Amino acid sequence: MTDDHGVALWNTRAATELEPTPWTLLLLVTALAAVLRTIGLDSGLWYDEIRTLLDSVRSPMARILVVFPGDNQHTFFSVLAHASISVFGDHPWSLRLPSMLLGTATIPVLFFFAREFVGRTEALLASLLLAVSYHHVWFSQSARGYAALALLTVLSSWLLLRGLRRRRTSDFLWYAVAAALGVYTHVTMVFLVASHAALCVLPLGLPFMHPDWRRRWALPVMGFVLAGVFSMLLYSPVLLAVNQLVVKEPSPMRGATPGWAVRELIKGLQIGFGGVIAVVVGAALFTAGAWSYLKQSRFLLGLFLLPGAITVAAAVALQRPVRPRFVLFLAGFALLIVVRGGLEIGRLLGARRARGEDVVTRPGVALVVAMALLSLVSLRVNYQYPKQDFLGALQFVESQKTPSERVLTAGPATYPYQVFFQRPTWQGIKTQADLDSARVGGGRVWVLYTLAAYIEHDAPDLMATLRTRCSVRQVFRGTVGGGDVTVCALPTD
């Protein structure tokens, strides 16, 4: 691929740039994505959604724009969600509606992004795999900003490629808008923009090192600078608070360590791909696809992988929590690599060594479609359980306990029950001493807890007591990693 002035940018595997867009198939895949993201949209809220709703979305719009309540805030999403519940009423589905719509919109955007460097069949297969992706569906049904971030990541990357190829000012202006909205959703989008700037060295060369560097770099620099300016303007009312709460203060969720994140990522992949064997196969396809992209273009492979590496490294350096969802914004890129791996394996199985669009063979297409069907089947887990079943646990306890028995909540379960479900008499406990104090009066005590890893990290003695002495009465499953709500009872001393 070269720009209008003949500068080599990246290689393309499309047979021709003039291939017609398969609009019917693309619309069908997008419609499938919309249906899959609508089913179960009104299920119960999980912890982070409850915090988002109470800390931000229900506030007046003016307050959302000028108050930054903490690193749980995804401001651009909060603005959209506030507008949604103002129009449709305060319901779980209306709170999540912006994520559902933005998640669905990512499907066609990924297609057009991929068409910059692959043929239409490969681009459509990647869009299909994203449409049925367990993890992308899950976050498209979550009242958080991650689906928006995934869309804006693909959109800004597409605009960057268009801008480099066409050398048009409008592409870089829109790039700046998309990137700034991404930063306004989550500050980690800064690392995507930084990776874009660094990667432009590959096709454009280092500034000052080429006689034509001013012309080559003028528009990209404009896009990167404007992205920074727009981001600063959006954050200007809360800039000091963002610096204090996101950069300087330690995170209250200290249990989200890199090791924990890796374990949770592996668990999540097993759900999304249908088991350990499928994860191993997926890893092999990812490796094959990454190797193929490396041979095609170091720039493209860097575009896919560098943002994630920088994001995780920055989180570790800033001693911030590391969670698997921090790399969800790269879901579209990851699936492009997996699809390429599937097509490469299919090419070998089909004994085809042709280049370009001919690399898409029937065995390769069949392999990718099989992955899509497997992912589609895995969605039954997403629809079978809510993200966290706080309401089910509440109803169970209130149906079982006697009027004289006390109810305690441990760790992250305290805020939802005391504030969202308005059970102020359900005492929250953080330590073993709190538990001992609550049991002074004698009698049976009910305890509800969730996200045990956080309790374990902050109060291991309390968690040990809950596991060994608190008799489990019911476990209410949820699809959040470690988010099952456990109801147990401590007998009379």
Side-chain angles (χ1 to χ4, degrees):
M1 178 69 67
T2 59
D3 67 9
D4 292 341
H5 299 282
V7 177
L9 299 174
W10 57 85
N11 297 328
T12 179
R13 297 183 71 155
T16 171
E17 297 179 22
L18 301 178
E19 287 181 318
T21 299
W23 286 108
T24 300
L25 290 175
L26 184 58
L27 289 173
L28 286 174
V29 171
T30 304
L32 173 64
V35 171
L36 295 177
R37 285 153 181 76
T38 301
I39 299 172
L41 195 64
D42 203 37
S43 63
L45 303 179
W46 70 290
Y47 180 88
D48 279 8
E49 292 178 307
I50 291 171
R51 292 302 302 250
T52 297
L53 177 65
L54 299 183
D55 293 351
S56 182
V57 175
R58 283 182 177 173
S59 302
M61 183 66 78
R63 178 177 173 81
I64 295 174
L65 298 176
V66 301
V67 174
F68 192 82
D71 61 3
N72 192 64
Q73 169 75 308
H74 298 171
T75 309
F76 182 51
F77 172 81
S78 294
V79 169
L80 297 177
H82 176 87
S84 180
I85 68 172
S86 297
V87 173
F88 300 109
D90 193 337
H91 313 284
W93 71 265
S94 57
L95 178 67
R96 293 165 171 158
L97 183 62
S99 285
M100 189 278 284
L101 295 175
L102 295 173
T104 301
T106 309
I107 308 310
V109 172
L110 180 66
F111 173 86
F112 290 111
F113 165 70
R115 283 293 289 117
E116 293 287 334
F117 47 86
V118 301
R120 61 182 182 178
T121 302
E122 187 170 347
L124 191 63
L125 288 172
S127 295
L128 173 63
L129 211 54
L130 185 64
V132 299
S133 164
Y134 173 92
H135 302 90
H136 196 264
V137 170
W138 196 98
F139 282 101
S140 296
Q141 296 183 315
S142 180
R144 309 287 286 121
Y146 296 107
L149 199 64
L151 169 63
L152 293 167
T153 293
V154 178
L155 179 60
S156 61
S157 300
W158 177 33
L159 291 167
L160 175 67
L161 296 189
R162 280 167 54 95
L164 291 173
R165 174 172 57 84
R166 305 196 310 176
R167 307 292 300 176
R168 293 185 184 178
T169 302
S170 59
D171 289 328
F172 286 101
L173 287 174
W174 284 115
Y175 170 87
V177 172
L181 289 176
V183 175
Y184 200 43
T185 302
H186 200 287
V187 292
T188 54
M189 184 77 170
V190 167
F191 304 126
L192 179 82
V193 178
S195 70
H196 284 173
L199 286 166
C200 280
V201 171
L202 291 174
L204 301 181
L206 285 168
F208 307 105
M209 299 299 291
H210 190 280
D212 199 26
W213 71 268
R214 287 187 177 85
R215 180 189 61 80
R216 292 186 175 195
W217 277 94
L219 289 178
V221 167
M222 180 197 73
F224 300 140
V225 170
L226 285 179
V229 170
F230 294 161
S231 299
M232 292 292 287
L233 289 174
L234 289 169
Y235 272 117
S236 58
V238 295
L239 200 56
L240 294 178
V242 171
N243 181 60
Q244 180 66 30
L245 295 171
V246 176
V247 178
K248 292 185 176 181
E249 285 191 3
S251 171
M253 295 297 188
R254 292 178 291 277
T257 62
W260 173 86
V262 171
R263 291 191 296 272
E264 290 301 310
L265 180 61
I266 293 173
K267 290 179 184 177
L269 289 175
Q270 289 181 34
I271 297 173
F273 289 102
V276 177
I277 295 177
V279 171
V280 173
V281 172
L285 294 176
F286 185 90
T287 302
W291 177 250
S292 177
Y293 269 111
L294 179 62
K295 292 188 294 182
Q296 178 182 348
S297 168
R298 290 178 300 162
F299 173 77
L300 291 176
L301 186 61
L303 195 67
F304 298 157
L305 301 182
L306 186 60
I310 294 178
T311 300
V312 173
V316 173
L318 294 171
Q319 298 183 329
R320 307 305 298 172
V322 180
R323 303 184 178 96
R325 59 181 178 268
F326 279 10
V327 293
L328 176 85
F329 71 103
L330 301 174
F333 299 163
L335 293 180
L336 280 168
I337 295 175
V338 169
V339 167
R340 172 62 62 83
L343 295 179
E344 286 294 302
I345 298 299
R347 179 178 64 83
L348 295 176
L349 293 175
R352 296 282 297 275
R353 298 187 178 276
R355 298 176 61 84
E357 182 71 2
D358 288 340
V359 76
V360 179
T361 61
R362 288 183 178 179
V365 172
L367 182 57
V368 176
V369 171
M371 287 190 289
L373 292 174
L374 187 64
S375 184
L376 187 62
V377 171
S378 73
L379 284 172
R380 72 184 187 279
V381 177
N382 181 63
Y383 302 139
Q384 186 176 0
Y385 303 103
K387 288 177 166 52
Q388 281 187 289
D389 196 2
F390 288 116
L391 180 59
L394 179 150
Q395 292 172 339
F396 174 79
V397 170
E398 292 192 332
S399 69
Q400 297 293 314
K401 80 177 193 70
T402 65
S404 62
E405 292 174 343
R406 302 188 62 188
V407 180
L408 307 179
T409 57
T414 297
Y415 182 86
Y417 285 119
Q418 287 191 348
V419 182
F420 183 67
F421 291 102
Q422 299 181 355
R423 297 298 190 275
T425 59
W426 289 20
Q427 180 184 343
I429 57 174
K430 295 181 179 180
T431 65
Q432 180 66 41
D434 292 339
L435 178 59
D436 294 338
S437 175
R439 300 189 67 201
V440 169
R444 186 170 63 170
V445 176
W446 293 84
V447 183
L448 296 90
Y449 65 89
T450 186
L451 299 170
Y454 294 122
I455 305 175
E456 181 86 53
H457 186 276
D458 294 335
D461 53 345
L462 172 61
M463 196 64 242
T465 298
L466 294 177
R467 283 177 174 152
T468 59
R469 298 180 57 194
C470 198
S471 176
V472 175
R473 297 306 176 89
Q474 190 86 17
V475 176
F476 293 84
R477 286 195 59 182
T479 57
V480 171
D484 293 353
V485 181
T486 300
V487 177
C488 63
L490 287 164
T492 303
D493 286 336

